[in-house]
Amino acid sequence: MDLGVAHSKLLLRSVAAVRNSAELQMLGVADGETRKMNMCQAINDALRLTLTTDDTAVVFGEDVAFGGVFRCSVGLADEFGGERVFNTPLTEQGIAGFGIGMAAMGHTSIAEIQFADYIFPAFDQLANEAAKFRYRSGNEFNAGGLTVRTPSAAVGHGGHYHSQSPEAFFAHVPGLKVVVPRSAVQAKGLLMSAIRDPNPTIVFEPKILYRSAVEQVPVDDYMLPLSQAEILKPGADVTV
């Protein structure tokens, strides 16, 4: 019996599964070209699409220029240059503050916090500045162009500083949106939506899923809705 995430029946592991996906059919990408990707590659694909289609987009964070610890941004600095994909100092509060400033000036600002465990120094910037910027300026300014990506949760050997899941802290902050993808197809579509959403968004990426499984991911540009649940298994008494 095949066990584990890689063998989940909820994954779109074949082209036929993509063709039959009601969600992707509604988005108009179910019949297009697909490519086998894991979650890390799907995130990279979303970042590349954004940098290609949005001249204001920038990607920054600790070590992102060489691809990041988990290689989610690999190749982007070579393709788009150091002015659009660049490393920052080791300061999570500074990364968040810089990202807010870039977003307020009209950029699509995509920040990476290397591990979610280290996002706490940036909590004040995200909860008290990014989330409230639009409200306290009477909608004159906003940080809606900010997206923060961060690897989260445990992998079994990370210890107490590389295993935390702090998304609940941010889910209770009005003005922020929180996203947690479950698979490659979902990761690409949700990240595209997070980047383009007019509100600051934090994407917590379960790092144990980065290379746990692959799916046939549409190569076209698509966005999955942030404001509604994905129905995996409908039922009369319980729906998953």
Side-chain angles (χ1 to χ4, degrees):
M1 181 178 179
D2 292 328
L3 300 174
V5 174
H7 303 286
S8 170
K9 294 181 180 179
L10 301 177
L11 296 176
L12 303 180
R13 290 182 288 166
S14 67
V15 175
V18 174
R19 301 284 186 262
N20 292 327
S21 167
E23 186 173 48
L24 296 180
Q25 287 173 2
M26 290 180 61
L27 297 174
V29 295
D31 295 324
E33 181 185 353
T34 65
R35 189 163 66 245
K36 188 179 291 187
M37 302 183 200
N38 58 34
M39 183 184 284
C40 181
Q41 293 167 326
I43 290 166
N44 183 279
D45 194 45
L47 294 174
R48 177 173 283 104
L49 262 174
T50 300
L51 289 164
T52 300
T53 58
D54 183 353
D55 290 338
T56 73
V58 289
V59 174
F60 54 92
E62 298 166 10
D63 300 323
V64 300
F66 82 86
V69 170
F70 296 99
R71 316 303 287 164
C72 289
S73 58
V74 68
L76 299 181
D78 292 335
E79 184 173 350
F80 297 98
E83 291 187 353
R84 301 187 65 198
V85 182
F86 49 88
N87 294 333
T88 65
L90 304 177
T91 166
E92 286 77 19
Q93 184 178 16
I95 292 170
F98 177 79
I100 292 168
M102 290 288 286
M105 295 302 295
H107 284 270
T108 297
S109 179
I110 308 168
E112 180 183 302
I113 301 296
Q114 195 168 85
F115 287 90
D117 312 60
Y118 297 108
I119 202 170
F120 295 110
F123 191 91
D124 178 64
Q125 286 289 327
L126 295 171
N128 277 332
E129 301 298 337
K132 299 175 175 64
F133 204 14
R134 190 192 307 272
Y135 176 77
R136 71 184 181 89
S137 70
N139 204 31
E140 186 175 354
F141 307 106
N142 70 82
L146 173 66
T147 301
V148 178
R149 295 180 41 252
T150 186
S152 67
V155 292
H157 56 267
H160 59 303
Y161 284 134
H162 297 82
S163 303
Q164 297 179 64
S165 301
E167 59 271 7
F169 290 105
F170 295 93
H172 292 276
V173 178
L176 293 179
K177 290 191 176 183
V178 174
V179 176
V180 183
R182 68 169 181 86
S183 69
V185 169
Q186 294 288 314
K188 177 178 175 179
L190 290 173
L191 181 54
M192 295 301 296
S193 290
I195 290 170
R196 292 168 177 168
D197 194 271
N199 300 284
T201 304
I202 307 176
V203 182
F204 289 94
E205 300 163 1
K207 52 185 176 287
I208 197 170
L209 298 181
Y210 275 150
R211 292 174 175 83
S212 295
V214 296
E215 288 188 296
Q216 291 289 342
V217 179
V219 300
D220 290 334
D221 188 330
Y222 65 95
M223 298 190 299
L224 294 172
L226 302 183
S227 56
Q228 65 187 59
E230 177 195 9
I231 297 176
L232 297 174
K233 295 187 71 175
D237 299 307
V238 177
T239 295
V240 179

